[in-house]
Structures are given as C-alpha cells and as structure tokens.
Amino acid sequence: MADVARLAGVSSQTVSRVANGQTGVVESTREQVLAAMRELGYRPNSAARSLRYGRFNTIGVILFGLSSTGNSRTVEAIATHAAAEGYAITLIPVDVPTQDNVLGAFTRMGELAVDGVILIIEVHLLDATAVSLPPGVHVVVVDSDAGDRYPVVDTDQADGTRQAVRHLIDLGHRTVHHVAGPAASFAAERRAGAWRATLEEAGLPVPEIERGDWSADSGHRAGLRLAADPSCTAIFAANDQMALGVLRALHESGRRVPADVSVVGFDDIADSSAYLPPLTTVHQDFAEVGRRCVRLLLDQIHDGPAAPGTDLVPTTLTIRQSTDRVRGPATPDA
C-alpha cells in the first residue's frame, strides 16, 4: 500500500479508501490510485480487511446430498443471490447426517471464516431434541421442521401436494396411489402426510404407499407394481425423477398415460415438460427459496439474530398432458 501511495503521489489513507471502495475520493485521484495498483500488481488483502472489520463476506452452506434436484437447485440459487450481494459461498457436504458430523461441519466452517451458515436438510436430524447448533452462529435452515428453534425457509410441501391430489380427484379418480420418497426425508414425509390427509378429507380410500429413493429406477420399480393393479388410475409421485420411472413402467406394462392412468410429479424440473407425455407436476420456486435464505441470513449478520419461524414459499400446480379425466370405470381382472 505504501508503494502504491508513493507511485500515485497520495497518502496511504487515500489508497486504503480506494481499495475498500469508500467514498470521499476525487474521481481523478481514484483513477490515479487504480492505475498505480495495476502497474504494481497490487491487490487488497481481503483476509486482513476481514480481521479489521469483522466481516468475511462469505456464507457457509452445509448440506446432505448434492445429487438431489432440490438440493442442487437450492445451492445454485443461494450462490447466485449471494454473489449479487457481494458474498461468496463455501460448501461443505455431509455424507452421513449425524449430530457429530453436523457439529464437525460447523467447526470447519468456523476455521474457514464465514459470516453465517445455511443448513440444507432433507432428514429429521434437527427434529431430535438432542441436536443443538453451536451458539453465536447465524443460521438459516432449509427444508426442515425446525421452525420452533431456528429460522427456516421451505417450499409449501403440503399445499403443493394438496393441489396435486385434489386435481386428480377432480378428474374423477376414485383414489390416488402414492410413490413416496425415503422415510428419513422431511420433504417426503410432509408430502406423504398431505396426500393421505387430502384423500381422507375427500372420503376416499388410502392405498398402501409405494416407497422410492427419489431415483427414476425406484419409480420404475414402484410403477411396475402399480401397473399390475387394474384399479390404479392415478399416481402421485413425490418427485419428477420417480414420476419418469413410473411413466416408463406404465408404458412397458401396456397402460396408457393418461388414457388409463394419470400421473403427477413434484418439483417441475427443467426436463419435465419433455417427458412423454409432458408431466403434470408441482412447481417449486427454488430461486425464491435461495433468495429468501440469503436475505434472511444477511439480515441476521447485519441486524442480529432472527426469531425462530418458518417462511413458506408458495407452490403451484403445472398441468400438462399426463393427467386426464377417467375414461370409464376401472375393470378388475376376470
């Protein structure tokens, strides 16, 4: 900095103001300082600046599983909105979601110097009373039933499911079969619970759940079992990948979609409109989830801890060609 000041013919304090983007520097002087920086190859020391001002302009993201559509798109949205606010992200995936691993991830985040942490959870880890996050850490949680203890941002899983199941009921289907996600997943259980409640409210029978693991392969296996049931005319899959597997199984079994069986997914991934037929699905606004996470965390960083609670992002049903009215009563095998 002293070398830059000598070359530019200004004080070190002026160089510091220019390096930190502060106001109060005449534009011609600023250009003079910037030219000296370029000539000398000077770059401000962000680590020293962070120690001085107590801010690192970095958000930590801890998550379980980057391969799922919801997690990967949420992380992408967080990174985009963080960058727009002048923040970078540091990502730490946790393979096995245990309390020790979560606390270990927070310890690593502390060593990497972050201003706050977004915790993306698809399991019931934070539902256990034994789990506590380190004190003094600004935290926002995604996709978890932890709103009584931490600020949570989530899509409205239950309402999206109600829209999907209600759509199928309104088309005249006598019940709706469900291909659920893993039992350990909060999102899967929230969707399964809303599916069951919607059928019960309509006075319709509740079939046995088919359990998948979010993959198209698991949806295919469940779809083969459902295709063998001639009374099955409507299927709600807990995500679009499993719905893709269901569509394939129905095609292989000679069950036409939607003439024989209507299928609805959840997520509205980019490829769902290219399925054959194009998939009716529940749209999740992952970009809005990411934006709210970043905004809520930055509010804590700047203004202090936020009160616990859950901020729900609305979901909408996108109707395409995979659903239709019942073409006639289902006929059991002779």
Side-chain angles (χ1 to χ4, degrees):
M1 187 176 289
D3 292 339
V4 171
R6 280 192 295 271
L7 181 60
V10 298
S11 68
S12 294
Q13 185 178 9
T14 298
V15 175
S16 177
R17 287 202 295 269
V18 172
N20 288 291
Q22 297 175 1
T23 59
V25 180
V26 176
E27 189 59 32
S28 59
T29 302
R30 184 183 302 278
E31 289 299 326
Q32 192 173 332
V33 171
L34 291 174
M37 288 179 176
R38 288 191 294 269
E39 182 175 339
L40 294 175
Y42 170 83
R43 291 186 298 172
N45 188 323
S46 59
R49 184 191 307 158
S50 297
L51 289 173
R52 180 177 180 182
Y53 294 104
R55 293 272 173 81
F56 303 97
N57 280 49
T58 300
I59 293 172
V61 178
I62 299 174
L63 81 162
F64 308 134
L66 189 55
S67 60
S68 73
T69 297
N71 283 1
S72 60
R73 291 183 64 182
T74 300
V75 169
E76 179 184 15
I78 289 170
T80 299
H81 291 289
E85 297 286 347
Y87 279 71
I89 69 166
T90 295
L91 181 66
I92 293 186
V94 177
D95 293 333
V96 181
T98 64
Q99 182 179 11
D100 287 344
N101 285 346
V102 171
L103 294 180
F106 269 95
T107 299
R108 295 198 298 278
M109 282 294 181
E111 294 169 351
L112 294 170
V114 299
D115 298 308
V117 175
I118 297 174
L119 188 59
I120 301 177
I121 290 196
E122 277 200 343
V123 296
H124 300 287
L125 178 65
L126 289 186
D127 296 344
T129 57
V131 175
S132 59
L133 302 183
V137 178
H138 298 299
V139 174
V140 172
V141 179
V142 182
D143 191 18
S144 177
D145 190 15
D148 57 336
R149 281 161 286 161
Y150 308 104
V152 172
V153 178
D154 190 18
T155 53
D156 197 337
Q157 316 274 355
D159 185 61
T161 298
R162 282 192 292 267
Q163 292 180 60
V165 177
R166 193 71 248 177
H167 169 65
L168 292 166
I169 293 172
D170 291 344
L171 289 174
H173 296 279
R174 296 175 176 178
T175 191
V176 178
H177 292 257
H178 183 39
V179 180
S185 166
F186 168 78
E189 290 306 279
R190 182 57 59 92
R191 294 169 198 178
W195 159 79
R196 180 182 300 276
T198 306
L199 289 177
E200 290 174 344
E201 289 167 6
L204 297 177
V206 179
E208 183 177 350
I209 283 180
E210 294 286 345
R211 186 70 67 178
D213 60 11
W214 300 126
S215 70
D217 283 345
S218 69
H220 179 253
R221 291 190 294 270
L224 289 175
R225 292 189 292 270
L226 292 173
D229 178 0
S231 69
C232 175
T233 66
I235 300 172
F236 168 55
N239 76 337
D240 289 350
Q241 283 96 337
M242 290 193 299
L244 176 61
V246 168
L247 291 175
R248 176 189 163 198
L250 292 170
H251 173 74
E252 292 173 348
S253 302
R255 304 291 302 277
R256 298 168 299 165
V257 178
D260 301 322
V261 183
S262 289
V263 178
V264 178
F266 201 111
D267 283 340
D268 195 18
I269 63 175
D271 294 337
S272 60
S273 62
Y275 287 5
L276 188 64
L279 183 67
T280 295
T281 183
V282 177
H283 176 77
Q284 293 198 81
D285 193 344
F286 294 107
E288 179 63 12
V289 171
R291 188 193 70 80
R292 293 192 191 187
C293 285
V294 171
R295 186 70 268 153
L296 184 55
L297 190 62
L298 294 186
D299 286 346
Q300 291 187 71
I301 292 170
H302 297 145
D303 303 326
T310 299
D311 182 12
L312 288 178
V313 177
T315 50
T316 56
L317 182 66
T318 301
I319 299 176
R320 299 194 180 101
Q321 286 73 55
S322 67
T323 54
D324 200 356
R325 299 196 66 81
V326 177
R327 302 293 178 91
T331 51
D333 291 334

